[in-house]
Amino acid sequence: MPSNSKTHLNRAFDHLDEVIYIMGEVIKGRNAEEIRKHLVEDDPFGSDSLDYRQTIANWLIGDYVKGFSPEALDVFARLMTSDRIETRTKRELLFWKNCERDSLVRAITLEQVYPAYHRGEAFLMREDVVGFIVKKMGFTEYMSDKRIKNYLSITSKLGIAEANGKNIDLRYFRPKRESVTAVLYFLFNSKLSPSALLRADDFKYLLLDERDLLSYLADLDTSGLIEFAMAGNVVRLEPKIAFEVLPDALAR
């Protein structure tokens, strides 16, 4: 694997339950190394291979524990473990984080799926996306096709895209308002300016273009979750609730 092509799509699986479990450990007060050691030595996921446990533990800890600031990790952990937040919202947040952390997931989403979706195309040719990965990442055609298969195993659960013979069918997709709100608040916490927030790729990961995003922001403003206004190039975009109470606000 080329050293500059970070991806987990060679071992992608539906890891929602695993992330929820890990976030439960975060809430118990365990740090990243304690959780990694627990996953490897105690084997709560039931894997016979020590090497595999180490690989998966490093992946999940790297993306979903070390991938957040301490304040953001606490909020993410409470979102993922809440019984009052829908599974669909949790899956959308995982995909958002996949795109942020995984270079291949991000490239396929931003450079293939997103533009085709907004051109109104019904499908992508699988061989074209395989060719894109070969050129972009330097993988062989065989390994690129395998990674597409794993990518589609994730997006099919979200209702974004799924395999259909030689095609990749694109589905009509609108993320949950709760997902968009959560991503927005994580961006608020990262201290981006309002104009930078509007341009952030994070919303494109959920297939939102600027018009879509503005519609969501107007709705969130009406609902009292944010303060949003635009006048020409001047943007006012601010949180109306504290970051730490976000999980409770979304669980109502």
Side-chain angles (χ1 to χ4, degrees):
M1 181 186 300
S3 60
N4 64 344
S5 56
K6 179 184 183 299
T7 183
H8 300 307
L9 285 182
N10 54 322
R11 52 182 175 269
F13 60 92
D14 181 15
H15 54 282
L16 175 62
D17 290 341
E18 285 79 4
V19 173
I20 291 173
Y21 181 90
I22 289 169
M23 291 304 114
E25 297 298 295
V26 169
I27 288 175
K28 291 176 185 177
R30 289 186 170 182
N31 62 34
E33 182 52 34
E34 289 171 336
I35 297 172
R36 191 200 67 78
K37 184 177 180 180
H38 169 57
L39 297 183
V40 173
E41 296 183 359
D42 300 333
D43 189 22
F45 302 151
S47 171
D48 293 332
S49 168
L50 176 62
D51 286 344
Y52 185 76
R53 294 201 300 272
Q54 291 174 330
T55 297
I56 296 303
N58 289 338
W59 161 26
L60 295 175
I61 297 302
D63 280 4
Y64 299 107
V65 180
K66 294 181 179 179
F68 288 102
S69 68
E71 182 182 23
L73 177 59
D74 176 71
V75 171
F76 185 75
R78 289 165 52 217
L79 286 169
M80 296 306 295
T81 57
S82 173
D83 292 334
R84 295 185 294 160
I85 292 178
E86 292 184 21
T87 296
R88 177 181 163 187
T89 297
K90 295 177 182 180
R91 288 192 186 281
E92 290 175 356
L93 291 177
L94 285 191
F95 187 68
W96 159 68
K97 198 63 177 176
N98 283 176
C99 288
E100 181 188 85
R101 299 285 294 181
D102 190 300
S103 62
L104 183 53
V105 178
R106 180 170 60 252
I108 297 171
T109 303
L110 288 184
E111 299 181 47
Q112 296 290 301
V113 175
Y114 175 88
Y117 180 85
H118 285 285
R119 288 194 300 264
E121 297 178 9
F123 63 89
L124 290 164
M125 294 294 293
R126 189 179 183 123
E127 65 179 4
D128 290 343
V129 182
V130 169
F132 165 79
I133 297 174
V134 170
K135 183 176 180 180
K136 181 85 175 181
M137 312 298 284
F139 298 129
T140 65
E141 286 191 12
Y142 171 79
M143 295 307 295
S144 297
D145 190 69
K146 182 178 180 180
R147 284 161 172 77
I148 280 294
K149 178 181 178 181
N150 290 341
Y151 178 86
L152 294 174
S153 73
I154 298 170
T155 58
S156 63
K157 290 183 178 295
L158 291 168
I160 291 177
E162 62 185 18
N164 182 14
K166 295 182 179 181
N167 295 341
I168 296 172
D169 287 347
L170 303 179
R171 303 301 186 191
Y172 176 76
F173 176 75
R174 294 285 289 180
K176 296 284 290 183
R177 189 180 76 154
E178 291 81 1
S179 305
V180 177
T181 306
V183 170
L184 180 60
Y185 266 80
F186 281 109
L187 293 176
F188 280 145
N189 188 61
S190 69
K191 310 302 181 184
L192 288 180
S193 68
S195 58
L197 280 170
L198 291 182
R199 298 192 304 269
D201 283 341
D202 300 69
F203 300 108
K204 294 180 181 178
Y205 302 155
L206 298 178
L207 302 191
L208 298 180
D209 63 10
E210 183 175 351
R211 182 180 62 180
D212 296 328
L213 177 58
L214 293 178
S215 175
Y216 276 91
L217 294 179
D219 178 55
L220 295 178
D221 177 76
T222 300
S223 301
L225 289 170
I226 65 171
E227 186 167 340
F228 171 63
M230 286 187 68
N233 294 325
V234 178
V235 181
R236 183 169 187 177
L237 182 55
E238 300 174 355
K240 290 291 292 291
I241 61 173
F243 186 41
E244 60 268 21
V245 305
L246 178 66
D248 294 329
L250 297 187
R252 291 174 182 170

